[in-house]
Amino acid sequence: SALLIGCGMGISNEARLLFSNLLLSPIDISVPTVIDADGLNILSTHYRWWDRLPKNCVLTPHPGEMSRMTRISVEKIQNSRLEIAKEFSGKWDQILVLKGANTVVALPNGESWVSDIVTPSLSSAGTGDVLAGLISGLIAQGLDTKDATISGVYIHGAAGEIMDLIATVSYPLRRMYGDRFTVAPLSVLIDPTRAARILGLAAGRNFSEKVTYVYRKQLEEADLIVVNKCDVIDDELPELHIVRIED
């Protein structure tokens, strides 16, 4: 129901042959295809590749890959991200995701969306592969390529913001708790009432003064409170839970 190609693929002769035979040949793929990473690098080496690429693809380049595909400098791309994304989405007749701060999604019909998220978490190697996987997974679940791409970019950015916040929270707590500190799964980003139930907090029992102190002194600008499980119930495996505060 969907094809993702390029992530971790490399640019060996075998990889080039596989890519060319699969996507630049008369073979009918007949499924929406997301092309990322080395798939884009291989694509950029073919003359007028856009005339041979199947329709309904999603291309997800970062500025360096976009530069190789367009022969335009990274600096110029970064100075005109929206305009260049829209121009080449139309030229190539494919959905284009220009990754980076304020990721751009451009459609061949001229429509475009710009993410309002800027986060250093998404500049780490491999996070682009995560975005490509998100988009492919959403397509495989039944979304069309447009909705899957926009939704994938949003989810990817939101996850990056959460990781930034967790990293900010983690630093002072790691200094305080050392090896006892762990970050719970994102599924525990929940409301305080449910958190109390999960933590086994008895009715009327408050979080410890130590945790309150950490929150007040270190996390005043955050919308999260950190609860140390061993501060509210007896447990042989102390674990920190991050709980969203609801107004």
Side-chain angles (χ1 to χ4, degrees):
S1 55
L3 171 66
L4 168 60
I5 188 168
C7 302
M9 188 176 185
I11 54 174
S12 65
N13 290 335
E14 292 80 4
R16 293 175 184 274
L17 187 62
L18 172 63
F19 185 93
S20 299
N21 288 340
L22 190 61
L23 292 179
L24 301 178
S25 72
I27 295 176
D28 182 13
I29 297 299
S30 73
V31 295
T33 300
V34 179
I35 307 175
D36 186 44
D38 287 325
L40 300 171
N41 293 326
I42 294 172
L43 199 61
S44 67
T45 65
H46 290 268
Y47 177 71
R48 295 188 65 86
W49 52 265
W50 53 90
D51 289 333
R52 302 163 59 190
L53 197 65
K55 301 300 181 184
N56 209 24
C57 289
V58 180
L59 313 179
T60 59
H62 58 55
E65 292 159 346
M66 188 67 174
S67 178
R68 288 187 280 276
M69 295 168 70
T70 61
R71 306 298 190 266
I72 297 174
S73 70
V74 171
E75 181 181 7
K76 185 174 181 180
I77 290 171
Q78 291 293 74
N79 288 336
S80 305
R81 289 171 54 83
L82 178 59
E83 294 77 8
I84 287 176
K86 292 175 68 173
E87 175 187 349
F88 283 93
S89 176
K91 177 180 179 179
W92 299 335
D93 197 26
Q94 305 286 359
I95 295 177
L96 179 64
V97 179
L98 180 55
K99 295 181 292 193
N102 302 118
T103 293
V104 177
V105 177
L107 271 59
N109 65 5
E111 290 182 283
S112 61
W113 290 262
V114 180
S115 171
D116 63 355
I117 294 175
V118 179
T119 165
S121 290
L122 300 184
S123 63
S124 303
T127 54
D129 296 351
V130 173
L131 174 59
L134 268 171
I135 295 171
S136 303
L138 291 170
I139 293 172
Q141 293 179 70
L143 271 67
D144 62 32
T145 50
K146 169 185 170 181
D147 290 342
T149 302
I150 296 168
S151 299
V153 168
Y154 172 77
I155 294 169
H156 188 244
E161 286 192 322
I162 291 172
M163 291 310 299
D164 280 347
L165 187 55
I166 289 174
T168 301
V169 169
S170 297
Y171 177 73
L173 293 171
R174 285 190 186 280
R175 293 186 63 185
M176 177 176 290
Y177 291 100
D179 292 339
R180 294 171 55 211
F181 175 78
T182 58
V183 177
L186 296 184
S187 60
V188 302
L189 288 171
I190 51 179
D191 65 84
T193 303
R194 186 179 173 202
R197 185 168 66 250
I198 289 176
L199 294 172
L201 193 61
R205 192 174 178 191
N206 296 320
F207 298 134
S208 74
E209 292 182 3
K210 181 166 58 177
V211 170
T212 303
Y213 174 83
V214 171
Y215 171 67
R216 288 177 179 169
K217 298 298 183 182
Q218 303 289 351
L219 309 177
E220 290 179 351
E221 301 302 317
D223 64 344
L224 301 178
I225 186 169
V226 177
V227 180
N228 193 324
K229 197 170 184 179
C230 67
D231 286 334
V232 292
I233 59 173
D234 295 327
D235 198 307
E236 294 181 357
L237 299 174
E239 183 179 11
L240 286 177
H241 290 256
I242 297 176
V243 182
R244 183 170 298 282
I245 295 175
E246 302 289 348
D247 294 328

